Amino acid sequence: TASKCDCTLKLMFLSFGTWAVDKGNFKTCEQSAFCKRQRALKPGESPYRALLETMELTNTRLTLQLINDNNKVRLLLELYRLQGNITRVKINELKPLKPRYEVPDVLIREPTTEPLSVLSQDENGVVLSLGVESQRVIISARPFRLDIMEGSDVLMSLNSRGLLAFEHLRMRKDTQADPEAEKKEEADPTTKEEEEKVEDGMWEETFKSHTDSKPNGPSAVSLDFSLPGVEHVYGIPEHADTLRLKTTDNGDPYRLYNLDVFQYELYNPMALYGSVPVMVAHSAQRTTGIFWLNAAETWVDISSNTGSSETPQTDVRWISESGIIDIFIMLGPTPKDVFSQYASLTGTQSFPPLASLGYHQCRWNYNDQEDVKSVDAGFDEHDIPYDFIWLDIEHTDGKRYFTWDPHKFATPKEMLQGLMDKKRKMVAIVDPHIKVDGNYKIHNEIRSRGFYVKNKDGGDYEGWCWPGSASYPDFTRADMRAWWASMFAYDQYEGTMENLYTWNDMNEPSVFNGPEVTMHKDATHGAWEHRDIHNLYGLYVQMATAEGLIQRSGGVERPFVLTRAFFAGSQRLGAVWTGDNAAEWGHLKISIPMCLSMGLVGISFCGADIGGFFKSPSTELLVRWYQAGAYQPFYRAHAHVDTPRREPWLFGPENTALIREAVRQRYTLLPYWYQLFYRAHVTGEPVMRPLWVEYPQDLATFALEDEYLIGRDLLVHPVVEEGARGVTAYLPGKDEVWFDVHTFQKHNGAQNLYIPVTMSSIPVFQRGGSIIPRKLRVRRSSTCMEHDPYTLYVALNLQRTADGELYIDDGHTFNYEKKEFIYRKLTFANKVLSSVNLAPDAKFTTDSWIERIIVLGASKPSKVTLKTADGQEKQLEFDFDASMSVLTVRKPGMNAGADWTMTFQ
Amino acid sequence: MAAQVALRRQQAQEESEARDLRLLYPCTGIGGEAGIPQGSSISAGVPVSVSSSPAAACFDVFGSENQKDDKRFYRERKSFLCIDGSRMIPFEQVNDDYCDCEDGSDEPGTSACPRGRFYCTNLGFRPHYIPSSRVNDGICDCCDASDEYNSHARCQNTCWNLGQRERAYVEGQMRTLDEGLRLKQQLIEEGVLLWREKQAQLRELQQVAEDLQVKLEEHRRKKHEADRLKEQTLKALEAGDGGLIRHQNSSVASIFHLLDSNKDGSLTVDEIKAKVVLVHDEQRVLSEDEALALLDRGHRMDLSKFQSTLWDVLTRGDTVKIKDTQGAPGSLSSEDPHLKAADRAAEWEATNLKKVEEAYETVNMEIRYTYTLCPFNQVTQKSTAGVEVSLGMWGMWTGKPKNHYSQMVYENGEPCWQGGSRSTTVTLTCGTETALRSVKEPSKCQYIMDFQTPVACQPVLKQQGIHSEL
């Protein structure tokens, strides 16, 4: 949305009157007491020592105590070897004053462990075998340090710079200290000295007009990682920054703290709406990943020796405000190994309904039912396909979610039926802030059940948001989430039908009058402070909502829920967008690295508001955005309420035609998008991926962020510059050939190709060696295309082979889990194209057939023969374009689910 | 049939495309109940070539009045030339659910061609074209259901009902138009009469004006003199009103002149004694010494000195004031009945403030606006709370060249907080009453109004009519 807050807006105008983010509203590391404290630590002075004599090793679990020699506080280290080449390291206080928060509900299950064994041990340390591939962990005792080795190579070191820090929970000095502790302090004067060093911000912290009471005192945790041989690190979204993360030596660390940032600025490490504490490190030799499982405010420092003569090395340091250290070291070695390792921990991308991969038309706001009807009709009149029309906050009765404005949306079912008649759908917003209003059923129920988040004094937490005074349900509670889910039942959420889906906005959570526009850290969720769970809140909102959509259909239908805030694991729940961007070329450009970064850490279903949310785009920018967005996973246009209308047909027939063409290209490729999402759902591989994922040894690809791959086979270099006359695309792979998908022109790999562009150009290339299915009969909506025939684009490589896949199911239910789908392998080799069943135990039938086969880079056959499963053969007509070497086989006609072979003689 | 098509095309190149297509595919709703057969040796659901299907017969039936001719062409030519002339294909490939022609002309009855069109015959209603992408998409587009001959949709033939409704609507429209035109004619006649009347009046007035012109010259001279006198009088009058001191802007000079009885440009002790009294003892005449003090111990005081000394004392109003005035500056009586009333009102307001505030939100939700269009003047929006906002001042006619006076724009209304100002586009439609039919605000501060009036009725509309094929 909706987003942003009117009151912040007004403040903005009062104080600055400018259109950029007001940085003063958000903390720098210096202004965040724990970050300042931790960042001040000097490397090379680690007080931690491993007490080897405390080591215990069961088959799969190693435990060991660490001691801080300055204050004698002991920590417990746990080390696990997990299935799939993952090492887990957990560090907690041995005896904390009270339990410290450990993040639940993010891991899909307790990870499967594998055996560990001791290789050698002496007074300086222990060497453990990690099983496969001569991988070892060396635990050094003084100072404590952990090295993961493969052969003689160090893959990663922990605490090698000595920046491990674990602020133990303690009694406040002005309270009665326990006599035992006092005795200890007397015995050890150095301890006492350390203990008494109370800094500002340990027990209370004030930012702007907000005071954080910090009843638990300091509780930060921090650890450093060294990555020898690594010059490129990625991930830790969400930041409006380059794909390749920058070093942070000369500025703030990257911040992970879900915030509703008004008019965010590009190319800086400020926190945004979501957080995934996962970093991917890549070099030509290896790809690894670090998953820092902590939901509190987190800062990540990156430094590098790049440019010096030494072996390249990147050093990373994570700092979190509370919780424990719980890290998963994913050892690759390939990018796809890291994706599957991370997927084995937090799950894969949810498999979205096919329709949600179509085009979405959104605006804050479509004013009433008549407005919805006329926009819907506009798409038909201008012959532009779309699947979803969206309603922002104004559709509700006074910002009371789960209700409809009685005047503007008096008969929602009638409206939804109208859309259903055209096989289209709708999304209505449901935000997590609940209007405090005694006449509002949802509020009364939540309050009477005690489901609201509590303020530090134990009352229901209240903040200011769209409805005015609002409270926030405690989504960390399973019983609260179950209740919330039940509210989506058709008899609870009145006026809804099965073609209505949901959008969760403002779930950072956004609190207009809260510190940094979010919830007070000393608010409580049962036993835990908001401080502990902050970055998880948005995930839980989407979790409860998605569950509601599943339940209302009796578990049959796949949900579609869009969220703005997210965390590790959010990929399991739906789609994410990059929040409230602006109608500027820079924002169009950055949508690529922002979505690539999310894809690397599991979240494939990502998109940016087409056209830009704030401000009004020039016609050129709007057209270019439609073109770029057609090749990004989540394809939705959205606009701020104060901007002029911008439905695709409002910019003259020429631009309408350009936008229509971009959207049509999207729709022809829906079979490919859909099967890539199926793959992402099964494997965790990103749908939209940086080139280096497929060309991991090609250094030229490591920092590319103006082009990317969709799956493995389509390379996209959208035009994102104003007035562009051409773009230069890097085509990777020295043994590859690439075919321009529009002209079928063939280009060699491993070259920078200059492509002249006009307003209609969207530079896209298909990799030689691939087969991509398309549906060329573009209709009003994706659902209308369900039974349509396929055209297979077979692009031959230098070896004159190609392969691809074809996945088909009903497009919207969970029946694929019951093996109701068609999954076929398409192969071209030795002049034979064949379709083989990849899932013989799966059952599904389709009306769709193969209407055309286009072979790129072909030579002219004398005849083409189709042989079907029943043994029948028939000659097929074909057409050969000698100038472009394109062979078109006319109407082979076999069913898309059948076995067949086609011979080109 | 295709041969006939090709021949026709050659014979009548100059025919318009639309007409062409109508002639070529009068039966493009191929199938209807007959449908394209689904059985084929390869796969169910794949439409096969037209040669083995009733579709060919369909062409024969609808293609021409002379079926024998059709068959002769068909036998002779056996091929089909794409309408754009780009390609010749076997006739079997017409309507075989595979797109051969760039222009889509070989698949008038299927969804195979991206640029194709499908002809809904819609007997009983209006025939029209739909994009071929809407053929067999599961949505009923043609009222005769002919577009969904091979889909899961169960379409009813609704043409007759639609036709009925359409005809009733058209009749209603015609009546409206007749009535509208009559009213418009009436308005025009009234207008002409009024114009003539005004013309006559104008002529009279012009005569009168000429006479007056003469007198005017004389009066101008007199007026000039009178003005000069009036100005003096006014000054004197202003000066005589001591209450003016209360106004910060009242002139120092006028007070000075009031005090300066002999108008010699300076104040003397006598002049002060004559006009100034003590605030707390208005009856007593000031002593020489007191007057002298007010003159700052000088015997004469000019205007500039007055401004920097005595003027301040007078405006402060706590010691001396000008005689015979209704109360010194800043000393309003608390007994003033108006004040008392105001106090009571304020008190009442205060006690009700809370209620009003509480009600505000509800009221805010319920606010409905009243829109007013004053043609060639402005558009306004009035909330139920009575707040009036300008949505634009008369700008210009913005209708398309063909119908220039069908739309007008009002611009430069009240500014919007995000910049720019409110504007309103008014579309005029024919109706028997003059009234605003609808108001929308599709984007912030941009309004669209539908304004119905007989004035917008155009006789040309009537001739167009809407014919039905029965």
Side-chain angles (χ1 to χ4, degrees):
Chain A
T1 328
S3 268
K4 250 356 272 197
C5 136
D6 219 23
C7 48
T8 312
L9 203 67
K10 279 164 192 161
L11 282 175
M12 287 280 315
F13 276 92
L14 284 176
S15 54
F16 291 91
T18 143
W19 275 107
V21 65
D22 183 359
K23 284 187 174 176
N25 282 334
F26 303 101
K27 288 183 184 178
T28 59
C29 177
E30 189 72 14
Q31 289 165 324
S32 185
F34 78 94
C35 186
K36 182 183 179 186
R37 223 157 48 224
Q38 293 291 316
R39 224 188 180 198
L41 295 181
K42 298 273 181 301
E45 296 172 5
S46 180
Y48 288 98
R49 179 159 55 87
L51 303 173
L52 297 179
E53 64 279 13
T54 65
M55 187 174 85
E56 286 176 35
L57 178 68
T58 64
N59 187 28
T60 59
R61 175 178 190 252
L62 176 136
T63 59
L64 180 69
Q65 292 180 21
L66 306 179
I67 188 162
N68 180 333
D69 279 328
N70 291 342
N71 58 17
K72 304 298 177 212
V73 173
R74 289 190 181 202
L75 305 177
L76 181 71
L77 174 135
E78 294 170 77
L79 192 144
Y80 303 89
R81 176 70 186 162
L82 305 184
Q83 203 171 59
N85 211 7
I86 304 167
T87 300
R88 181 181 194 177
V89 179
K90 262 174 104 165
I91 303 176
N92 198 352
E93 289 181 54
L94 182 64
K95 288 177 184 163
L97 264 184
K98 57 185 197 176
R100 299 180 64 120
Y101 188 68
E102 298 187 33
V103 178
D105 301 315
V106 167
L107 300 180
I108 47 173
R109 65 181 78 89
E110 195 52 43
T112 315
T113 52
E114 286 186 343
L116 280 167
S117 59
V118 175
L119 290 176
S120 66
Q121 181 173 4
D122 60 25
E123 73 280 10
N124 296 320
V126 184
V127 182
L128 295 166
S129 167
L130 287 177
V132 291
E133 295 174 49
S134 70
Q135 283 181 1
R136 308 179 311 287
V137 177
I138 301 173
I139 302 172
S140 308
R142 188 189 287 266
F144 163 70
R145 169 184 170 130
L146 222 148
D147 293 277
I148 298 173
M149 312 278 298
E150 187 178 273
S152 57
D153 295 334
V154 180
L155 303 181
M156 196 182 294
S157 305
L158 281 63
N159 201 36
S160 53
R161 286 187 297 151
L163 295 171
L164 166 64
F166 209 107
E167 293 176 340
H168 61 285
L169 298 179
R170 60 202 79 181
M171 301 295 287
R172 200 171 176 157
K173 284 297 165 194
D174 53 15
T175 61
Q176 195 60 45
D178 105 78
E180 205 59 29
E182 262 176 38
K183 227 182 275 171
K184 236 199 237 163
E185 280 167 22
E186 278 163 33
D188 189 346
T190 55
T191 307
K192 191 172 180 185
E193 198 180 315
E194 279 301 318
E195 287 282 356
E196 280 179 351
K197 208 194 280 172
V198 174
E199 290 175 42
D200 277 356
M202 277 184 161
W203 294 94
E204 189 174 276
E205 180 174 349
T206 298
F207 178 67
K208 304 195 94 173
S209 60
H210 300 283
T211 298
D212 174 4
S213 66
K214 295 197 176 182
N216 294 326
S219 57
V221 296
S222 154
L223 182 60
D224 65 273
F225 299 77
S226 292
L227 303 159
V230 170
E231 293 181 88
H232 294 81
V233 288
Y234 309 90
I236 55 167
E238 180 178 35
H239 300 100
D241 207 351
T242 51
L243 172 64
R244 179 194 180 183
L245 298 171
K246 294 171 183 149
T247 58
T248 57
D249 301 324
N250 299 317
D252 257 8
Y254 284 98
R255 188 180 190 205
L256 294 173
Y257 190 57
N258 295 356
L259 291 175
D260 180 1
V261 179
F262 180 68
Q263 291 177 342
Y264 59 79
E265 210 176 81
L266 306 185
Y267 303 107
N268 74 50
M270 284 174 73
L272 286 180
Y273 314 94
S275 305
V276 183
V278 176
M279 182 182 282
V280 178
H282 177 71
S283 72
Q285 286 71 45
R286 182 179 278 273
T287 310
T288 58
I290 299 168
F291 173 26
W292 173 271
L293 181 51
N294 188 304
E297 180 185 343
T298 297
W299 298 79
V300 185
D301 254 323
I302 298 168
S303 60
S304 160
N305 64 355
T306 302
S308 74
S309 55
E310 305 161 54
T311 332
Q313 175 166 316
T314 296
D315 294 315
V316 181
R317 186 182 180 210
W318 298 72
I319 305 169
S320 290
E321 186 177 11
S322 67
I324 65 164
I325 293 175
D326 190 1
I327 49 176
F328 298 82
I329 298 161
M330 301 172 283
L331 290 172
T334 70
K336 286 177 190 173
D337 289 331
V338 173
F339 301 144
S340 75
Q341 284 154 5
Y342 181 61
S344 76
L345 298 170
T346 66
T348 59
Q349 175 65 52
S350 65
F351 190 25
L354 172 57
S356 65
L357 297 174
Y359 171 66
H360 299 258
Q361 181 65 36
C362 186
R363 173 176 180 82
W364 176 20
N365 216 99
Y366 287 120
N367 297 332
D368 48 33
Q369 286 180 213
E370 200 190 331
D371 200 359
V372 168
K373 204 170 177 176
S374 78
V375 171
D376 176 74
F379 278 91
D380 287 344
E381 192 189 328
H382 298 93
D383 201 16
I384 300 171
Y386 91 94
D387 272 82
F388 283 81
I389 187 164
W390 291 53
L391 296 180
D392 209 322
I393 51 174
E394 314 297 336
H395 84 276
T396 59
D397 181 6
K399 316 294 187 302
R400 293 167 185 88
Y401 305 105
F402 301 100
T403 70
W404 302 84
D405 182 300
H407 302 286
K408 298 169 181 168
F409 294 91
T411 53
K413 279 195 178 176
E414 204 173 283
M415 169 178 65
L416 289 165
Q417 187 59 53
L419 292 168
M420 196 178 275
D421 290 346
K422 298 242 194 97
K423 304 197 176 193
R424 287 172 177 152
K425 303 167 202 315
M426 174 172 263
V427 170
I429 199 164
V430 174
D431 286 351
H433 50 258
I434 302 300
K435 186 177 175 72
V436 175
D437 170 4
N439 295 317
Y440 178 27
K441 183 186 92 174
I442 297 283
H443 164 72
N444 289 338
E445 291 228 15
I446 298 175
R447 193 172 53 178
S448 66
R449 289 163 197 257
F451 279 162
Y452 278 128
V453 173
K454 301 291 184 284
N455 60 35
K456 66 173 164 42
D457 305 315
D460 285 347
Y461 180 89
E462 273 187 43
W464 198 260
C465 208
W466 295 125
S469 190
S471 284
Y472 295 73
D474 186 356
F475 283 92
T476 67
R477 293 177 60 161
D479 53 355
M480 159 60 209
R481 294 199 299 276
W483 177 85
W484 178 268
S486 74
M487 288 298 102
F488 287 88
Y490 297 119
D491 59 349
Q492 290 291 334
Y493 188 170
E494 280 172 39
T496 64
M497 297 188 358
E498 59 269 36
N499 65 337
L500 181 77
Y501 295 80
T502 311
W503 171 17
N504 291 149
D505 196 1
M506 315 297 278
N507 51 340
E508 293 75 23
S510 179
V511 182
F512 293 163
N513 58 342
E516 303 192 88
V517 201
T518 193
M519 191 172 277
H520 292 72
K521 283 175 172 172
D522 53 11
T524 61
H525 303 254
W528 305 109
E529 282 190 286
H530 185 69
R531 179 188 335 277
D532 301 311
I533 68 97
H534 176 85
N535 285 345
L536 259 184
Y537 189 83
L539 174 143
Y540 275 132
V541 174
Q542 194 188 16
M543 184 185 276
T545 304
E547 188 53 37
L549 296 193
I550 294 171
Q551 276 177 19
R552 70 172 188 183
S553 75
V556 172
E557 297 288 328
R558 285 177 239 166
F560 171 75
V561 181
L562 178 73
T563 182
R564 192 170 70 183
F566 54 87
F567 190 67
S570 288
Q571 71 269 18
R572 306 194 298 263
L573 307 169
V576 168
W577 95 109
T578 62
D580 299 342
N581 62 358
E584 292 168 5
W585 289 92
H587 277 266
L588 165 57
K589 204 170 174 174
I590 206 144
S591 67
I592 302 171
M594 287 180 79
C595 281
L596 285 175
S597 298
M598 283 195 226
L600 288 174
V601 298
I603 300 175
S604 269
F605 207 1
C606 167
D609 286 345
I610 304 298
F613 178 67
F614 290 113
K615 309 214 265 184
S616 192
S618 68
T619 304
E620 186 190 355
L621 175 58
L622 185 67
V623 169
R624 289 302 191 199
W625 215 320
Y626 267 101
Q627 294 175 337
Y631 290 89
Q632 291 180 7
F634 177 55
Y635 191 21
R636 183 187 73 152
H638 187 31
H640 190 279
V641 67
D642 289 321
T643 61
R645 287 279 175 140
R646 56 170 96 141
E647 284 69 43
W649 49 86
L650 295 176
F651 304 88
E654 213 170 290
N655 294 301
T656 305
L658 289 170
I659 294 171
R660 179 191 300 122
E661 175 54 24
V663 179
R664 288 178 63 95
Q665 286 186 30
R666 169 65 167 221
Y667 275 76
T668 63
L669 269 173
L670 284 177
Y672 184 61
W673 281 106
Y674 192 54
Q675 73 193 38
L676 286 174
F677 268 91
Y678 177 70
R679 289 285 302 165
H681 176 61
V682 173
T683 67
E685 283 169 21
V687 169
M688 176 180 174
R689 51 186 84 149
L691 266 62
W692 61 259
V693 168
E694 296 297 338
Y695 301 89
Q697 267 134 47
D698 186 348
L699 296 166
T701 65
F702 289 7
L704 281 184
E705 60 175 29
D706 55 358
E707 63 180 73
Y708 56 92
L709 295 165
I710 301 173
R712 189 164 62 116
D713 303 330
L714 278 187
L715 184 148
V716 185
H717 188 122
V719 181
V720 296
E721 304 281 349
E722 186 170 15
R725 299 283 189 85
V727 298
T728 302
Y730 177 71
L731 302 180
K734 82 174 170 295
D735 304 319
E736 300 273 33
V737 288
W738 294 89
F739 294 89
D740 184 313
V741 298
H742 310 295
T743 65
F744 300 146
Q745 171 94 46
K746 182 160 101 177
H747 303 281
N748 291 323
Q751 66 155 325
N752 283 304
L753 179 70
Y754 179 79
I755 306 139
V757 299
T758 63
M759 269 317 288
S760 65
S761 309
I762 317 176
V764 179
F765 301 87
Q766 182 177 346
R767 187 179 59 83
S770 66
I771 300 175
I772 292 181
R774 293 183 189 235
K775 283 187 175 181
L776 300 186
R777 303 184 183 191
V778 176
R779 303 188 189 253
R780 266 178 287 216
S781 72
S782 67
T783 311
C784 291
M785 296 162 66
E786 184 185 353
H787 307 293
D788 280 345
Y790 291 89
T791 294
L792 303 179
Y793 285 74
V794 180
L796 299 183
N797 58 18
L798 296 174
Q799 292 75 44
R800 312 194 70 70
T801 65
D803 57 58
E805 292 172 354
L806 180 59
Y807 175 87
I808 305 170
D809 65 13
D810 65 21
H812 58 95
T813 71
F814 281 109
N815 291 348
Y816 71 91
E817 291 180 344
K818 295 185 268 174
K819 294 270 175 188
E820 289 183 22
F821 59 80
I822 292 166
Y823 194 25
R824 306 200 66 85
K825 174 96 176 167
L826 306 168
T827 313
F828 186 101
N830 303 317
K831 296 188 176 176
V832 176
L833 176 64
S834 62
S835 171
V836 179
N837 199 347
L838 273 177
D841 56 337
K843 278 193 176 51
F844 188 71
T845 55
T846 177
D847 288 346
S848 296
W849 47 288
I850 310 293
E851 74 166 337
R852 189 184 289 105
I853 288 165
I854 297 177
V855 187
L856 309 179
S859 46
K860 188 177 181 178
S862 55
K863 61 175 182 176
V864 178
T865 314
L866 174 70
K867 191 173 171 184
T868 42
D870 55 10
Q872 289 202 6
E873 290 196 11
K874 82 167 176 178
Q875 299 249 343
L876 299 173
E877 284 183 50
F878 61 87
D879 192 61
F880 185 72
D881 175 353
S883 66
M884 299 305 279
S885 302
V886 176
L887 174 70
T888 305
V889 180
R890 185 185 193 281
K891 207 183 173 192
M894 58 285 194
N895 186 280
D899 288 335
W900 50 268
T901 56
M902 193 179 291
T903 313
F904 299 78
Q905 280 164 318
Chain B
M1 165 60 202
Q4 176 210 16
V5 163
L7 193 69
R8 278 238 180 106
R9 194 181 165 279
Q10 284 152 14
Q11 287 168 343
Q13 290 281 352
E14 72 281 3
E15 279 187 10
S16 73
E17 192 203 348
R19 181 158 171 69
D20 248 2
L21 287 167
R22 285 278 283 280
L23 286 170
L24 299 180
Y25 313 120
C27 70
T28 40
I30 260 186
E33 288 89 39
I36 288 181
Q38 298 192 18
S40 94
S41 59
I42 300 162
S43 155
V46 183
V48 294
S49 116
V50 98
S51 59
S52 62
S53 84
C58 171
F59 269 94
D60 286 344
V61 171
F62 295 103
S64 159
E65 283 165 41
N66 188 336
Q67 293 180 33
K68 279 182 184 170
D69 278 355
D70 266 3
K71 282 179 177 158
R72 185 166 52 80
F73 286 130
Y74 183 79
R75 275 196 305 272
E76 276 177 14
R77 305 294 286 268
K78 286 194 170 180
S79 59
F80 175 84
L81 179 68
C82 303
I83 288 181
D84 63 3
S86 62
R87 196 167 175 185
M88 184 83 87
I89 60 167
F91 178 67
E92 286 81 4
Q93 293 183 359
V94 172
N95 268 341
D96 71 337
D97 205 18
Y98 184 89
C99 190
D100 293 285
C101 298
E102 193 74 4
D103 65 354
S105 59
D106 64 314
E107 296 294 321
T110 76
S111 61
C113 290
R115 269 172 283 279
R117 297 199 299 172
F118 180 90
Y119 183 77
C120 304
T121 309
N122 289 352
L123 225 54
F125 187 53
R126 247 180 319 193
H128 71 106
Y129 286 100
I130 58 169
S132 1
S133 65
R134 294 178 196 174
V135 174
N136 290 330
D137 66 348
I139 299 168
C140 309
D141 290 287
C142 305
C143 64
D144 63 4
S146 57
D147 60 316
E148 296 299 318
Y149 58 84
N150 188 21
S151 84
H152 299 269
R154 294 276 161 269
C155 303
Q156 305 288 321
N157 188 324
T158 57
C159 290
W160 174 249
N161 287 342
L162 281 174
Q164 289 279 75
R165 222 182 300 158
E166 175 96 354
R167 279 184 289 279
Y169 174 75
V170 169
E171 275 165 31
Q173 286 290 94
M174 288 299 125
R175 275 197 300 277
T176 304
L177 185 57
D178 281 343
E179 179 65 7
L181 284 173
R182 195 184 60 74
L183 288 170
K184 184 179 178 182
Q185 191 55 40
Q186 209 172 309
L187 284 172
I188 290 170
E189 279 162 17
E190 279 169 19
V192 168
L193 282 178
L194 194 66
W195 183 76
R196 284 188 189 136
E197 202 178 302
K198 295 287 176 194
Q199 284 291 312
Q201 281 177 5
L202 181 64
R203 277 191 298 277
E204 275 174 37
L205 286 169
Q206 273 167 347
Q207 187 53 52
V208 174
E210 274 168 36
D211 296 347
L212 286 173
Q213 189 67 34
V214 181
K215 289 180 183 166
L216 184 64
E217 276 311 306
E218 189 189 340
H219 281 290
R220 261 198 194 129
R221 192 182 49 77
K222 285 182 180 170
K223 182 175 174 288
H224 186 73
E225 180 62 20
D227 278 349
R228 203 178 52 78
L229 288 170
K230 188 177 145 201
E231 201 177 316
Q232 281 177 6
T233 316
L234 268 178
K235 265 185 194 160
L237 277 173
E238 277 173 18
D241 181 5
L244 271 176
I245 288 178
R246 272 180 295 210
H247 302 284
Q248 292 201 345
N249 290 337
S250 77
S251 147
V252 178
S254 65
I255 299 301
F256 182 82
H257 287 303
L258 175 69
L259 297 177
D260 183 16
S261 307
N262 61 4
K263 309 292 174 208
D264 66 348
S266 69
L267 304 180
T268 62
V269 171
D270 288 344
E271 282 168 341
I272 292 296
K273 282 167 73 177
K275 295 268 173 70
V276 178
V277 292
L278 290 167
V279 170
H280 53 267
D281 190 1
E282 292 180 35
Q283 303 312 314
R284 187 168 70 78
V285 176
L286 293 177
S287 70
E288 194 88 358
D289 210 38
E290 284 165 334
L292 206 54
L294 288 177
L295 287 177
D296 206 21
R297 297 285 149 202
H299 287 275
R300 302 189 85 80
M301 179 176 268
D302 63 7
L303 181 57
S304 68
K305 188 93 184 285
F306 169 75
Q307 194 167 355
S308 59
T309 56
L310 182 50
W311 169 253
D312 285 342
V313 179
L314 283 168
T315 48
R316 216 162 47 235
D318 49 358
T319 51
V320 292
K321 65 173 190 175
I322 293 165
K323 214 178 203 169
D324 295 327
T325 57
Q326 294 288 319
S331 64
L332 277 171
S333 164
S334 57
E335 298 304 312
D336 187 324
H338 294 291
L339 258 190
K340 273 184 157 175
D343 271 353
R344 273 196 304 276
E347 203 176 312
W348 186 84
E349 288 294 342
T351 54
N352 282 291
L353 182 61
K354 207 172 166 57
K355 266 189 223 166
V356 175
E357 275 175 344
E358 278 165 12
Y360 173 74
E361 205 173 329
T362 339
V363 173
N364 203 22
M365 302 306 302
E366 297 302 323
I367 279 183
R368 293 291 175 268
Y369 297 103
T370 308
Y371 295 88
T372 310
L373 167 68
C374 301
F376 312 109
N377 181 5
Q378 64 166 339
V379 183
T380 54
Q381 177 198 57
K382 197 170 176 179
S383 69
T384 44
V387 181
E388 196 167 283
V389 168
S390 165
L391 303 187
M393 312 301 289
W394 162 246
M396 58 188 142
W397 290 104
T398 54
K400 300 237 169 75
K402 261 194 233 165
N403 201 357
H404 189 57
Y405 300 110
S406 64
Q407 195 178 69
M408 44 184 168
V409 163
Y410 292 78
E411 347 164 84
N412 299 321
E414 203 93 346
C416 296
W417 76 266
Q418 257 232 332
S421 57
R422 286 167 173 79
S423 66
T424 305
T425 302
V426 181
T427 304
L428 282 74
T429 52
C430 170
T432 52
E433 287 178 340
T434 296
L436 277 179
R437 285 296 165 200
S438 74
V439 181
K440 288 184 210 160
E441 190 187 1
S443 308
K444 277 279 168 80
C445 300
Q446 293 181 4
Y447 297 81
I448 292 177
M449 287 184 169
D450 180 13
F451 179 48
Q452 218 175 58
T453 167
V455 178
C457 297
Q458 299 287 331
V460 63
L461 230 178
K462 202 178 171 183
Q463 278 143 34
Q464 279 175 356
I466 296 160
H467 50 81
S468 54
E469 283 183 16
L470 273 170

